[in-house]
């Protein structure tokens, strides 16, 4: 849409170039190709720049959708099985932790009472007012209370640090990976993560060990990546995640992304220089972005000169001519 706003500016430029009153550009059609031929002064007024399509080795990656989550545990502490950082998830974890803390307190009370009972049974036995059986039963009760305490502490440890005491704020990205595709991905390599805003910059995130979560209905397993401390992404936000494959490199056509044009139907195009002052609009298909470059799945041959600066003006010239 931003490029379409340049159309009024284009009209002014073409009018300035067309001092003699003749058309600054002519359009001819050869088969399915539309050739746009500019007058030298019009081409100079548009300040067109071209660059060659490159075929280079780029990292082979797969694109996934990720969700930004908050690990509800302190650094180096056990990771809580509930992540996300949303209010419902925090309240749920807090409820589970409170219940586990209650079981520990209950087990402690039972242990204290069992110790008192053992001491009393032993004193009664020493005073010949009790029996060995009474002492054994009191010791068995104490052992049961100690076992309950061990179980309660183990359950509490699984729930991580208390909510609100997780230390420095951290952010992870949870990615649902189809289990049949997991073997094709490098689970030890850092991923490239960007928000869904087209102008956002990609951030590198290293893999971390998270809770073993999965979804049996969709046959997916969850992988986790830790975002940098200065990430602008917030809990609950969706992100695009590029994970390297085990085939680390692949040859692909690469062009600057600012050369790509989009029509109203979502089609992707570039203008290729096909002759002196002549340009032809060619269809391409962008597979993914790599920084400021676009990696193509289809497009012009390597070495083809395509327009970068001024491509939107050419687009407007082609469709305004004849009106």
């Amino acid at each position: 849409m931003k490029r379409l706003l340049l159309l009024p500016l284009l009209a002014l430029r073409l009018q300035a170039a067309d001092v003699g009153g003749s058309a600054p550009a002519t359009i001819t059609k050869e088969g399915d190709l539309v050739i746009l031929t500019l007058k030298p002064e019009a081409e100079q007024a548009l300040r067109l720049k071209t660059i060659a399509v490159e075929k280079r080795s780029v990292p082979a990656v797969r694109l996934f959708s990720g969700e930004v989550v908050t690990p509800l545990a302190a650094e180096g502490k056990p990771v809580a099985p509930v992540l996300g950082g949303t209010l419902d998830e925090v309240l749920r974890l807090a409820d589970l932790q409170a219940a586990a803390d209650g079981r520990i307190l209950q087990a402690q009370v039972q242990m204290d009472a069992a110790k008192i009972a053992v001491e009393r049974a032993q004193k009664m036995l020493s005073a010949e007012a009790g029996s060995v059986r009474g002492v054994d039963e009191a010791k068995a009760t104490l052992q049961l209370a100690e076992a309950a305490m061990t179980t309660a502490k183990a359950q509490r440890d699984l729930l991580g640090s208390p909510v609100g005491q997780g230390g420095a704020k951290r952010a992870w990205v949870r990615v649902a990976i189809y289990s049949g595709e997991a073997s094709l991905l490098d689970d030890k390599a850092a991923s490239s993560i960007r928000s869904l805003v087209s102008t956002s910059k990609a951030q590198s995130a290293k893999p971390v060990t998270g809770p073993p979560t999965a979804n049996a209905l969709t046959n997916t397993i969850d992988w986790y990546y830790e975002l940098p401390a200065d990430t602008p992404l917030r809990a609950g936000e969706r992100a695009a995640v590029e994970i390297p494959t085990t085939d680390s490199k692949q040859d692909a056509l690469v062009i600057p992304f600012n050369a790509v044009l989009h029509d109203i139907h979502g089609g992707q195009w570039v203008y290729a220089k096909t002759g002196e002052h002549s340009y032809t609009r060619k269809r391409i298909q962008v597979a993914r972005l790599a920084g400021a470059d676009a990696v193509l799945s289809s497009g012009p041959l390597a070495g083809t000169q395509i327009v970068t600066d001024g491509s939107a003006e050419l687009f407007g010239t082609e469709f305004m001519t004849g009106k």
Side-chain angles (χ1 to χ4, degrees):
M1 293 302 295
K2 290 183 178 179
R3 292 186 174 181
L4 296 181
L5 295 177
L6 296 174
L7 297 183
L9 177 60
L10 166 67
L12 294 176
R13 286 185 176 179
L14 293 180
Q15 184 179 1
D18 188 17
V19 178
S22 60
T26 59
I27 297 177
T28 58
K29 187 171 183 181
E30 297 182 4
D32 294 332
L33 298 179
V34 175
I35 301 176
L36 181 64
T37 303
L38 297 176
K39 286 190 173 183
E41 58 269 20
E43 186 177 40
Q44 184 178 5
L46 293 177
R47 298 180 182 178
L48 302 182
K49 292 183 180 180
T50 62
I51 194 171
V53 177
E54 294 184 71
K55 189 170 187 179
R56 71 170 84 137
S57 180
V58 296
V61 298
R62 296 287 180 91
L63 180 63
F64 296 90
S65 174
E67 178 189 5
V68 181
V69 298
T70 301
L72 301 176
E75 189 76 34
K77 298 294 184 179
V79 177
V82 182
L83 294 101
T86 62
L87 180 59
D88 290 342
E89 289 170 322
V90 171
L91 292 177
R92 178 188 171 197
L93 179 59
D95 183 63
L96 293 173
Q97 291 179 345
D101 291 337
R103 287 191 291 271
I104 292 177
L105 181 59
Q106 181 180 6
Q108 184 63 54
V109 172
Q110 292 174 346
M111 283 180 56
D112 293 340
K115 288 178 181 179
I116 294 173
V118 169
E119 292 178 0
R120 183 181 297 113
Q122 289 176 339
K123 290 180 179 180
M124 293 180 65
L125 180 61
S126 300
E128 298 182 354
S131 62
V132 175
R133 179 179 178 179
V135 174
D136 293 340
E137 290 178 347
K139 290 182 178 180
T141 302
L142 176 59
Q143 290 175 349
L144 290 174
E146 290 174 343
M149 172 63 81
T150 301
T151 301
K153 287 183 176 180
Q155 292 175 338
R156 179 60 186 84
D157 289 341
L158 293 175
L159 297 175
S161 301
V163 172
Q165 301 180 20
K169 182 181 179 181
R170 294 180 295 154
W172 289 1
V173 172
R174 175 170 53 198
V175 186
I177 306 293
Y178 173 59
S179 58
E181 195 175 12
S183 61
L184 305 176
L185 305 174
D186 188 351
D187 59 352
K188 296 180 176 59
S191 66
S192 177
I193 298 176
R194 67 171 66 241
S195 72
L196 301 184
V197 180
S198 59
T199 57
S200 64
K201 294 183 179 180
Q203 293 182 299
S204 178
K206 62 180 181 180
V208 292
T209 301
T213 53
N215 189 329
L217 295 178
T218 58
N219 197 19
T220 57
I221 56 178
D222 292 333
W223 287 11
Y224 294 90
Y225 294 89
E226 186 172 16
L227 288 166
D230 59 348
T231 180
L233 299 175
R234 301 172 59 185
E237 187 173 351
R238 291 289 178 176
V241 182
E242 292 181 347
I243 301 178
T245 65
T246 51
D247 300 327
S248 58
K249 297 288 183 179
Q250 65 178 7
D251 292 333
L253 299 173
V254 179
I255 63 173
F257 183 65
N258 65 346
V260 180
L261 295 166
H262 296 81
D263 60 28
I264 60 174
H265 304 291
Q268 297 171 323
W269 306 85
V270 294
Y271 275 98
K273 188 172 184 179
T274 53
E276 191 70 20
H277 311 303
S278 297
Y279 302 89
T280 301
R281 182 164 49 91
K282 294 183 178 293
R283 184 178 291 276
I284 63 170
Q285 188 171 1
V286 177
R288 62 184 178 88
L289 298 181
D293 295 330
V295 180
L296 306 183
S297 56
S298 63
L301 297 176
T304 303
Q305 292 289 326
I306 62 169
V307 179
T308 54
D309 295 355
S311 58
E313 285 82 351
L314 286 179
F315 195 78
T317 302
E318 177 179 344
F319 289 98
M320 288 177 64
T321 302
K323 288 188 177 181

